[in-house]
Amino acid sequence: MTYNFNIDKAPFHGYFSILFLAMLQYGCLDRETKIDTSDNSPNILFVISDDQSYFHTSFAGSTFVKTPGFDRIAREGIYFTNCYAGSPGCAPSRSALITGRHHWQNEQSGQHASSWMKKHVPFIDELRANGYQLGRTGKGVGPFQYARNENDSLWRRTNAAGIAHSEVKFKEDSEQPPTTGISKLDYFANFKHFMDDVRKENPFFFWFGGYEPHRVFEKESWKKMGKKLEDVKVPSFLPDTKEIRGDLLDYAVEIEWFDQQLVKMLDYLEAIGELENTIIIITSDNGMAFPRAKANSYEYGAHVPLAIRYPKKFGAGRIINDMIGFLDFAPTILELTKTKPKKMLPIRGKSFLEVLESKERGVENSNRKYSYVGRERHSSSRYANLGYPQRSIFSDDYVLIWNLKPVRWPAGAPQKYDPNDTTQLLPKYGIDTNGKYIPDAAFTDIDDCPTKMYLIENYKNDSIAPYFRLALDKRPEFELYDVTNDPSCLNNLYNDLDFKETKERLWVALQNELSDSKDPRLVGPEKEVFDSYKRYSRMRTFPKP
């Protein structure tokens, strides 16, 4: 459903209120006929942050994150309340976005740190063949291993988000990022170089992929940025302590830097007269890098921001509650650009162009009742590089999560071998004799951070133990949460008889989607195939369960 709003009167949706504040060639691909630019084909600036939950924009009501760039796109365009990433982890989520297919349909090209196969053609290749000039700055589609030499003949040679035409970094005598955790890439300078020196006369698709707010953050960077602990709203699945509040503020600093780069790009497009012919899409690949968020199919792991601006065709000041999944981006962008895919594998997602163009009328689309999220392997976190397979279905009110291997630890094994002596186990939970956490020692599907350290070092404290268990303990095979009234996903309703009809309805819809998309976990014949895909990033060694 879509609503119109004005700046003085914001409607409520669910559990929060909305606040209104003021190229190089590609391997074997051949260029085909260019677009006739006389029809004013739209440019696209695609903006994607790295690990940002839906709740953390000022437009969504965050009390400690200020995002004027995002807010402008949402205010002057369309704001989506129900966008869900393809996975709560970056590589599979970006794989789904760029191909229009569930990550479980993309074989190793959908699994964290595996290889990207040529046959999984991204939508950007089709745009290029249709005359669009492509550009990129920052993080693309990864982490994946792309072709290293001629021996990798089945692998894609270039990043699936396109070639970065330049790698301009901040100079010592210029403006510098405010913290050591922020990338040294000058995103805006790279975009400007593309526009001035690469784009020429063609319509363009430019991918701005920030490395922020991915870990590692500069600890206590919030202090020099003038932020205040009392402004933070701590999610209910984390203890409300000054350590956690400070970690959340450091996260906010990185979101705000990313947003500042977007503001510069918008101002530049406006200055050169290109803004009104450029569709701006801004989102994030998955939720925040905190315990029980990233790498978890809960609200804070899979629910991401989304706003789209193109007022001359889509109008402005609209809120849309229809369910949007990452699979839907590829077919929507292809339709927007009048691009007929010729090399992509069959697309599972559905274009939401009719939602974008709906103007004043409401959208009640029976095909948009659900979004689907899944995960397999995240980091190297268990014996034999095993993952933690999940399949989930989100409606506007509930999430049903299927944990296919509940015997495994969801956040990674609680103990691993010493990397300096693989015959010796590190202490349980990675806690040394002084009660301090040893970096990278346990539960490695959670990025090391002050919040993780605090939970582990204080797990015997009666007030902290429940949060430790929420983040790190094994889980039941099925979980059901009311995401409207319980966005922190604390109260599992699966065995509550009052929700029998809800769980059965969601289960049938999930099974149908997995069956129709031929998910190996459901239809086989190799149900464990995901654990067989080689990982090309760092490996850890764990004891056999």
Side-chain angles (χ1 to χ4, degrees), residues 271-289:
I272 64 173
E274 288 279 13
L275 182 60
E276 298 311 310
N277 195 44
T278 301
I279 300 170
I280 315 291
I281 303 171
I282 179 168
T283 187
S284 187
D285 59 355
N286 53 257
M288 64 181 190

Side-chain angles (χ1 to χ4, degrees), residues 144-158:
F144 286 103
Q145 179 64 60
Y146 293 92
R148 300 158 295 189
N149 52 50
E150 63 275 4
N151 294 325
D152 299 329
S153 59
L154 298 179
W155 298 3
R156 182 181 177 86
R157 185 167 61 85
T158 56

Side-chain angles (χ1 to χ4, degrees), residues 277-420:
N277 195 44
T278 301
I279 300 170
I280 315 291
I281 303 171
I282 179 168
T283 187
S284 187
D285 59 355
N286 53 257
M288 64 181 190
F290 283 75
R292 203 175 164 86
K294 179 181 177 180
N296 292 271
S297 296
Y298 299 128
E299 276 284 289
Y300 277 79
H303 196 176
V304 294
L306 174 62
I308 300 177
R309 183 190 188 278
Y310 193 46
K312 73 178 184 180
K313 289 290 183 70
F314 304 156
R318 297 169 55 214
I319 295 174
I320 290 181
N321 300 330
D322 293 68
M323 305 299 291
I324 303 295
F326 266 29
L327 277 67
D328 303 327
F329 281 83
T332 303
I333 291 171
L334 290 170
E335 189 172 7
L336 280 169
T337 58
K338 299 180 176 61
T339 300
K340 294 182 179 180
K342 298 179 179 179
K343 298 182 179 180
M344 295 177 72
L345 292 176
I347 292 174
R348 184 68 187 169
K350 296 179 176 65
S351 170
F352 54 94
L353 182 58
E354 67 171 305
V355 176
L356 295 172
E357 293 182 336
S358 61
K359 294 290 192 291
E360 301 293 331
R361 66 184 178 86
V363 177
E364 294 288 350
N365 193 325
S366 61
N367 293 323
R368 299 206 174 276
K369 290 182 178 180
Y370 307 117
S371 285
Y372 304 91
V373 176
R375 68 159 287 188
E376 287 288 338
R377 181 177 70 218
H378 186 59
S379 69
S380 169
S381 297
R382 296 166 196 83
Y383 173 77
N385 197 34
L386 298 176
Y388 189 77
Q390 293 181 311
R391 301 292 185 265
S392 305
I393 178 172
F394 285 83
S395 69
D396 57 354
D397 291 320
Y398 297 96
V399 59
L400 175 68
I401 302 171
W402 180 20
N403 299 311
L404 283 77
K405 302 289 183 179
V407 297
R408 297 179 187 173
W409 296 91
Q415 198 171 18
K416 75 168 191 176
Y417 284 104
D418 187 335
N420 298 315

Side-chain angles (χ1 to χ4, degrees), residues 255-281:
I255 294 174
E256 292 177 0
W257 172 262
F258 168 80
D259 190 81
Q260 288 170 23
Q261 307 310 301
L262 170 61
V263 169
K264 289 183 177 182
M265 293 180 187
L266 297 178
D267 289 347
Y268 175 74
L269 287 172
E270 194 164 33
I272 64 173
E274 288 279 13
L275 182 60
E276 298 311 310
N277 195 44
T278 301
I279 300 170
I280 315 291
I281 303 171

